[in-house]
């Protein structure tokens, strides 16, 4: 049996929907059976499921043409209700309770929201309830959106200290060429630092937002945090148990080797929150050298040359070296006004403590 106990499973829209865009209940039911089996074997599963927009689209005939944001809001509002209702009934047949967690990118930007979400899912798992997570597509529109649910599943896997993240798509894994070309094959293993851009196809799937290249780079990022990532075909029979049972090495899929030195939870959150950075802390060459050394060092006011942007205490900021390049991100102990008054001064507590610092 597998060494993984806590597993995040991400199911893409393309796995759950038929070619006409309607929800594929047979597929959903087969996947629920598999998750139920793993649950009964003592695995803690968090399911990240797409399919809200796709399943809502087939429910409604709109009278007048909607813009893309309104359409997404309408379809997801209806589709998410339909999706979770299906899951609820399907899991209930196995005597398992599931619950819905809807989230937005903003919930990962604030540490309080982040911890609230985490605690919610922890209490669900403790009580043997399977969390079913999706983006709250009704409110997260345009620039507030996750790239796709692959990104969301990576954040959830990091947040919940998952042992593994299994991304189910409608292909067998990452191909070394165009999947339609018989000469190309699935790459069995990819390292966190490999550069896949040369051989991964950039085309997007029909109903989901993610493409293979983004899938691959998200998988590498998550593996870099010490979590095993597997991309496999959700349409294959018994795929989930077979990925975790003896003989799993013969299953066609792409596995991402997890990094051996995983980073702390706080650092994971900070690394993932980079997109929310509110300002910049510019540091001098001496501070850069200290950070690059073997010891764990914090960024002290004395090593800071100047502050840019307008931020509050506990916000995420970029760390910029003396050449103007970003070298990491961190969570600040001061707001931008106070930080600016402290630059260059000795005997002050760190602007960014080591525990809240993530170097690229
Ligand atoms: N949250 C979207 C949905 O449930 C899917 C996003 C994606 O395709 O990754 O419809």
């Amino acid at each position: 049996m597998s060494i993984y106990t806590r597993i995040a499973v991400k199911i893409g829209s393309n796995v759950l929907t038929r070619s006409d865009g309607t929800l594929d209940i047979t597929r959903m039911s087969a996947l629920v059976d598999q998750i139920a089996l793993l649950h009964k074997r003592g695995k803690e599963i968090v399911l990240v499921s797409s399919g809200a927009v796709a399943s809502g689209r087939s429910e409604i005939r709109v009278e007048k043409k909607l813009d893309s944001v309104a359409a997404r809001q309408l379809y997801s509002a209806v589709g998410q209700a339909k999706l979770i209702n299906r899951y609820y009934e399907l899991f209930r047949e196995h005597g398992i309770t599931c619950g819905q967690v809807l989230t937005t990118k903003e919930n990962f930007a604030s540490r309080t929201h982040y911890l609230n979400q985490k605690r919610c899912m922890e209490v669900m798992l403790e009580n043997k309830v399977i969390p079913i997570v999706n983006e709250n597509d009704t409110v997260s529109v345009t620039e507030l959106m996750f790239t796709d649910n692959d990104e969301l599943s990576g954040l959830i896997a990091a947040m919940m200290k998952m042992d593994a993240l299994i991304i189910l798509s409608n292909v067998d894994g990452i191909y070394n060429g165009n999947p339609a070309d018989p000469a190309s094959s699935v790459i069995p293993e990819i390292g966190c630092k490999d550069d896949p851009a040369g051989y991964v196809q950039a085309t997007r799937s029909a109903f989901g937002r993610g493409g293979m290249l983004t899938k691959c780079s998200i998988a590498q990022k998550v593996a870099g945090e010490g979590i095993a990532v597997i991309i496999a075909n959700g349409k294959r029979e018994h795929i989930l148990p077979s990925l975790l049972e003896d003989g799993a090495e013969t299953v066609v899929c792409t596995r991402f080797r997890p990094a051996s030195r995983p980073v702390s939870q706080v650092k994971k959150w900070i690394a993932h929150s980079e997109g929310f950075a509110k300002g910049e802390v510019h540091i001098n060459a001496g501070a850069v050298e200290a950070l690059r050394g073997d010891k764990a060092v914090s960024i002290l006011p004395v090593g800071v040359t100047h502050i840019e942007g307008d931020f509050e205490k506990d916000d995420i900021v970029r760390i910029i070296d003396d050449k103007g390049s970003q070298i990491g991100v961190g969570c600040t102990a001061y707001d931008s006004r106070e930080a600016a008054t402290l630059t260059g001064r000795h005997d002050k507590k760190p602007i960014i403590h080591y525990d809240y610092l993530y170097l690229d």
Side-chain angles (χ1 to χ4, degrees), residues 313-332:
K313 178 178 177 304
D314 292 334
D315 274 350
I316 300 289
V317 290
R318 290 191 194 87
I319 301 154
I320 312 292
D321 70 7
D322 52 321
K323 315 254 173 357
S325 310
Q326 177 175 328
I327 57 164
V329 275
C331 186
T332 75

Side-chain angles (χ1 to χ4, degrees), residues 10 12-13 49-55 72 76 80 83 134-135 137 147-150 207-210:
K10 186 255 166 174
S13 301
S49 179
S50 306
V53 176
S55 57
R72 185 176 136 86
S76 65
Q80 180 64 27
L83 191 69
N134 197 2
E135 183 170 8
D137 297 307
T147 314
D148 53 39
N149 269 7
D150 295 330
F207 293 107
R209 289 208 301 272

Side-chain angles (χ1 to χ4, degrees), residues 105-117:
K105 209 168 184 177
E106 297 272 281
N107 290 337
F108 288 85
S110 133
R111 183 126 183 99
T112 318
H113 284 200
Y114 181 87
L115 291 176
N116 286 347
Q117 288 189 121

Side-chain angles (χ1 to χ4, degrees), residues 30-46:
L31 286 163
V32 167
D33 291 350
Q34 296 173 42
I35 294 169
L37 183 69
L38 298 180
H39 181 87
K40 286 185 179 145
R41 287 179 182 168
K43 305 287 179 199
E44 288 184 310
I45 312 272
V46 171

Side-chain angles (χ1 to χ4, degrees), residues 241-257:
S242 36
L243 285 170
L244 303 169
E245 283 163 355
D246 292 343
E249 55 292 343
T250 60
V251 179
V252 182
C253 64
T254 301
R255 289 171 187 269
F256 294 77
R257 274 190 306 276

